Amino acid sequence: MNSIGNDFISKTKYQFLNLSDQMKGVSPPSLQLPYPDNMEIISLPNFNDVSLSQKSVTSVINLRKSIRSYQQSAISLSELSYLLWCIQGVK
């Protein structure tokens, strides 16, 4: 028995599309780009080692603002590690 969703999908398909790479069995691209063998690899500290103040989600959202004034000092390697962990797409 078809659901209304399946009926909608089958009746609104674009009939002239070629098969997708996934349907053809083409392997997906690598999750990371290749890098030169002589590139320095920096080991990042454990992201759990960064200490954060405890705030509620609501207070953080209320305090959020965009600024275009940047500090001259760099973030620490621990802060970078935590930031990269937070923004990664593969979890």
Side-chain angles (χ1 to χ4, degrees), residues 34-66:
Y35 54 89
D37 290 336
N38 62 349
M39 176 97 32
E40 179 185 2
I41 297 176
I42 300 171
S43 295
L44 294 174
N46 188 329
F47 62 88
N48 287 323
D49 294 343
V50 174
S51 63
L52 301 172
S53 61
Q54 297 296 317
K55 294 184 179 182
S56 71
V57 173
T58 304
S59 67
V60 172
I61 291 171
N62 287 334
L63 292 171
R64 188 213 167 276
K65 61 182 176 178
S66 294

